[in-house]
Amino acid sequence: MTEKKADVVSKKDRHARLLKIISVFRKYDVLFNLVRQRNPYMVRIAFEELGVTFIKIGQMLSTRADLVSPEFVEEFKQLQDNVTVDDFSVVEKTIKEQTGHTVDELFRTFAEKPFASASIGQTHLAKLQDGTQVAVKVQHENVKEIVETDLALLEQALTVLKFAPESNVIDVRKTLFEIKKALLAEIDTKSEAENGNKFYRLNNDQGIIRSPRFYSELSVQGVLTSEYMPGESIKRILDEPLVQDGEQVDQKQKKERHFLAETLVRNFIKQVFTDHFFHADPHPGNILFTRIKEKSVQADEVEHHFSKQFARTDFTVSQIKKLPPYRLTYLDFGMMGHLPPNLADGIANVIIALNTKDIRDIGQSLLAICDRTGKIDEEKFYSELAFFLAPYFKTELGGIDFPELLFQIMQLCHDNNLRIKSEVTLLVKAFGLIEGLVVQLDPEISMLDVARPFAREYMLKKFNLQNEVEDSMFNFWRAFVATPQIPVKVNKFLDILMQGQAQIRFNYKDQETMLKKIEGMLNKVVTAIILAATIVGSSLLVQASSAHPIVYNLGVWGYAATLFVVAIMIINNLKKRFKEWRKKRKEKK
């Protein structure tokens, strides 16, 4: 059935849609504004005019401070879904087509009206045949085909519009690739169900963290069935003003917000360093807060502090910690991040290096998690990194503009021929969203302070005492063997100096650039000498050979060739200056 829907958009409709995309892009100068990161309002209006796919693109970009500037992030946050609600007959038809069963065959009850609706789909409350309450998300009719068509047409539009300008601010093609990957993942409901169940196994019942379980047999393309999780967006907690008890803030409320903030950070760090599988879109709409009655609290958190096996007996020292009467529930698993273990090691090294505030350690750790796109001047990179980080070492977390910080980090890497790996880019984006929640809950908490112990613990797990001891013993033995040879080597070095056979080689910053400039200058000097010699020689030939036409003409031709070469040199110099002038003028605009 899915294959029949592939041609739901006819060739005529595709052509008309392509013309509309091109027309709107030209009307609002979308490409130029995106490349130069200017006029975000015009880009937002264009996206709203083009509908569902472009609204989702804008919404995704509003959470990608690594791809667009903070001004665009704020503007795209204003994009709202075109909330459409399908008739129940359309929902029944979709479920029947995708599962092969009717609604009545699958569910005991099914609410005809959705309790939530967005541009991609709508969610209904239902009960399974055994009475379990579930949430059923059903995509709008043909939404998958429409999104895929729009994305394909957008790529065609870039070609038709002959998009080619370079920019050190944003790479539109790279941005389109990231968006396409994320948007296709969001509409792939089967993949979301698999991600959700994996997240459930790793995080459900971890302290106050909860996650819905997905029903694989009832989750197919276009239909997603999961446990119904009560609660409301954590945004309600964020929007609650702090209650003043006289001159002091209500300590109970403050303690609760601090606990929520710390829980979010600790669980996120666990996802990254322990699970290597993290929620990449933890915005407030995807995290529910549920307050429960203290009498109905069923589970306490068990912390294992010590575990050891002696013979056949296991000894475990644990502490039971009473959980507070509220829970945090993660939703929406369409966008998830996966980290290879070696990359997780690299990120742990960055966090540990930040703790030392040693710029060279931080720089080396960053280089390890980046791909090199060209030649890198590491000393220049360290210098720029030190200048960039200096203010942040003295700033409290609450005073840092995190979207601006991320965007500047990306630019710093780009300017030094470095491209942060895509997995890290997704992690940075998720980290930014979590940081935004944490700062609103408790501006005094430092995410890095909470993260450092986890990073250290992670590195200690990788630490092998036996290997370290063996390596140290081997290095000690090599040093012990080499020590008696030092006087001999010093004596040989002095002999070489006395005989005048020593050579010293050195490099300096921008050596190749300087050598190329010197080479260019020498070429110009040599050319000028040759031209001068040609002019002098031609003059002698013309003056001394008036009675010999062939020799006379040879001198004249020498003059002509010299003038021709000089003219070409002047024209090339003017062209070069004109190009430099145009480039500076564009940068000013």
Side-chain angles (χ1 to χ4, degrees):
M1 295 180 188
T2 305
E3 292 179 359
K4 292 180 181 179
K5 285 189 175 183
D7 297 327
V8 68
V9 183
S10 67
K11 289 185 177 179
K12 182 179 179 181
D13 291 338
R14 286 172 63 92
H15 181 68
R17 180 63 173 167
L18 177 60
L19 291 179
K20 182 175 181 180
I21 292 172
I22 293 172
S23 173
V24 172
F25 267 48
R26 283 176 172 163
K27 177 181 176 182
Y28 295 100
D29 208 1
V30 172
L31 290 180
F32 181 83
N33 285 326
L34 270 176
V35 167
R36 300 299 178 189
Q37 288 292 274
R38 295 180 180 176
N39 303 316
Y41 172 77
M42 292 179 65
V43 179
R44 177 174 68 83
I45 296 299
F47 282 2
E48 287 178 340
E49 191 170 319
L50 288 170
V52 53
T53 304
F54 291 85
I55 288 173
K56 295 304 295 183
I57 288 173
Q59 290 175 342
M60 286 183 175
L61 286 176
S62 72
T63 65
R64 297 300 300 267
D66 57 306
L67 295 178
V68 294
S69 68
E71 291 77 19
F72 269 76
V73 167
E74 290 303 315
E75 189 66 38
F76 285 153
K77 283 180 179 178
Q78 300 178 43
L79 283 167
Q80 299 295 323
D81 282 334
N82 291 328
V83 180
T84 57
V85 178
D86 290 335
D87 291 336
F88 185 59
S89 59
V90 176
V91 173
E92 286 184 306
K93 177 185 173 185
T94 300
I95 292 176
K96 172 68 175 176
E97 287 180 345
Q98 298 300 333
T99 67
H101 297 277
T102 65
V103 170
D104 291 337
E105 289 173 344
L106 296 174
F107 305 99
R108 179 190 293 182
T109 62
F110 194 99
E112 293 189 8
K113 290 186 178 181
F115 69 85
S117 183
S119 54
I120 296 295
Q122 58 195 53
T123 307
H124 297 254
L125 275 178
K127 284 186 178 180
L128 300 179
Q129 298 297 351
D130 62 3
T132 303
Q133 194 169 34
V134 294
V136 184
K137 183 178 179 181
V138 183
Q139 286 185 356
H140 295 308
E141 192 173 25
N142 299 327
V143 71
K144 184 175 185 290
E145 290 74 23
I146 292 170
V147 169
E148 289 175 344
T149 300
D150 273 353
L151 289 173
L153 293 177
L154 178 56
E155 291 182 291
Q156 289 185 35
L158 292 180
T159 304
V160 172
L161 291 168
K162 296 181 179 179
F163 173 72
E166 293 290 331
S167 170
N168 63 349
V169 180
I170 182 173
D171 184 335
V172 171
R173 295 196 184 280
K174 174 196 169 189
T175 303
L176 177 60
F177 174 77
E178 292 286 340
I179 290 170
K180 182 178 180 180
K181 184 171 65 173
L183 193 49
L184 290 178
E186 183 172 341
I187 61 177
D188 184 355
T189 50
K190 291 179 69 175
S191 175
E192 183 176 350
E194 292 173 1
N195 289 336
N197 278 333
K198 183 175 180 180
F199 192 87
Y200 173 86
R201 291 193 301 272
L202 294 171
N203 293 280
N204 191 56
D205 285 335
Q206 294 289 319
I208 63 170
I209 300 295
R210 295 292 180 269
S211 176
R213 182 167 61 89
F214 287 79
Y215 296 87
S216 301
E217 67 279 6
L218 296 176
S219 296
V220 294
Q221 182 53 49
V223 180
L224 191 65
T225 306
S226 66
E227 285 182 277
Y228 172 69
M229 307 298 286
E232 52 188 332
S233 170
I234 195 174
K235 192 174 186 299
R236 184 183 69 80
I237 299 294
L238 302 178
D239 293 340
E240 282 183 357
L242 289 172
V243 178
Q244 298 288 332
D245 184 8
E247 296 183 357
Q248 298 292 326
V249 175
D250 184 4
Q251 292 302 311
K252 183 179 179 181
Q253 184 188 25
K254 187 176 180 180
K255 184 178 179 181
E256 178 180 292
R257 292 167 72 103
H258 175 82
F259 185 80
L260 290 173
E262 193 173 60
T263 297
L264 285 171
V265 177
R266 287 184 179 277
N267 179 257
F268 181 72
I269 299 301
K270 170 192 168 293
Q271 293 176 36
V272 174
F273 290 118
T274 304
D275 304 335
H276 300 163
F277 178 74
F278 60 93
H279 197 298
D281 194 23
H283 63 76
N286 285 339
I287 301 178
L288 298 182
F289 176 82
T290 307
R291 196 176 295 280
I292 55 181
K293 295 179 180 179
E294 296 203 35
K295 291 183 179 179
S296 62
V297 177
Q298 298 178 350
D300 292 324
E301 185 177 20
V302 179
E303 295 182 343
H304 297 292
H305 296 285
F306 176 80
S307 182
K308 190 70 177 177
Q309 184 177 20
F310 294 98
R312 297 181 180 180
T313 307
D314 291 327
F315 292 90
T316 302
V317 178
S318 304
Q319 178 184 359
I320 298 177
K321 184 179 178 182
K322 187 173 179 60
L323 293 176
Y326 45 80
R327 301 289 181 267
L328 290 176
T329 305
Y330 275 91
L331 302 175
D332 194 350
F333 305 96
M335 194 184 304
M336 305 298 292
H338 302 260
L339 282 180
N342 62 327
L343 193 54
D345 289 346
I347 295 167
N349 284 329
V350 172
I351 295 174
I352 293 172
L354 284 170
N355 187 39
T356 67
K357 297 185 180 180
D358 186 308
I359 294 299
R360 189 164 291 272
D361 283 348
I362 297 171
Q364 289 175 347
S365 300
L366 284 173
L367 289 173
I369 63 172
C370 292
D371 293 323
R372 304 190 178 207
T373 60
K375 190 169 183 180
I376 297 170
D377 185 340
E378 292 191 10
E379 294 304 321
K380 173 176 172 287
F381 174 65
Y382 295 146
S383 176
E384 292 180 359
L385 184 65
F387 180 78
F388 170 74
L389 288 178
Y392 292 102
F393 286 145
K394 303 175 183 177
T395 306
E396 294 294 331
L397 185 66
I400 295 176
D401 184 348
F402 204 77
E404 178 68 25
L405 172 63
L406 295 182
F407 190 69
Q408 288 181 4
I409 288 175
M410 298 297 170
Q411 293 308 301
L412 177 64
C413 291
H414 181 278
D415 294 342
N416 285 276
N417 294 325
L418 292 168
R419 181 177 63 239
I420 294 180
K421 296 179 187 295
S422 59
E423 299 94 338
V424 181
T425 301
L426 202 59
L427 174 61
V428 168
K429 173 245 182 179
F431 185 85
L433 290 173
I434 286 288
E435 187 270 351
L437 293 175
V438 169
V439 167
Q440 292 181 70
L441 287 168
D442 185 0
E444 296 177 4
I445 194 173
S446 169
M447 288 190 70
L448 288 179
D449 286 341
V450 178
R452 284 183 197 118
F454 281 85
R456 290 197 189 98
E457 182 180 347
Y458 181 79
M459 296 305 293
L460 284 173
K461 288 179 181 177
K462 300 290 182 180
F463 178 80
N464 188 307
L465 181 60
Q466 182 179 347
N467 290 343
E468 292 296 326
V469 171
E470 290 176 356
D471 290 342
S472 297
M473 292 297 293
F474 178 71
N475 290 332
F476 176 77
W477 174 252
R478 288 182 60 189
F480 177 75
V481 172
T483 300
Q485 300 178 14
I486 291 177
V488 178
K489 291 184 177 180
V490 170
N491 188 48
K492 287 182 179 180
F493 176 69
L494 292 175
D495 287 342
I496 292 172
L497 287 179
M498 293 292 291
Q499 296 169 9
Q501 297 177 359
Q503 294 182 355
I504 298 176
R505 298 181 181 180
F506 64 92
N507 293 318
Y508 53 88
K509 188 177 180 180
D510 296 330
Q511 175 176 301
E512 291 190 8
T513 303
M514 182 64 70
L515 290 175
K516 286 181 180 179
K517 287 183 178 180
I518 293 173
E519 183 182 3
M521 292 172 62
L522 289 175
N523 288 337
K524 288 179 181 179
V525 170
V526 171
T527 303
I529 292 172
I530 293 172
L531 291 174
T534 304
I535 292 172
V536 172
S538 299
S539 299
L540 292 173
L541 290 174
V542 169
Q543 186 175 5
S545 59
S546 56
H548 300 81
I550 295 176
V551 177
Y552 179 83
N553 289 335
L554 187 62
V556 172
W557 277 106
Y559 276 128
T562 303
L563 291 173
F564 179 73
V565 172
V566 170
I568 289 177
M569 291 177 67
I570 293 173
I571 291 171
N572 286 337
N573 188 49
L574 290 174
K575 281 184 176 180
K576 183 179 178 182
R577 291 179 180 274
F578 180 69
K579 286 181 179 179
E580 290 176 353
W581 175 78
R582 285 187 63 183
K583 185 178 179 180
K584 289 180 180 179
R585 189 178 179 185
K586 283 185 178 180
E587 288 176 353
K588 288 181 179 179
K589 288 184 179 181

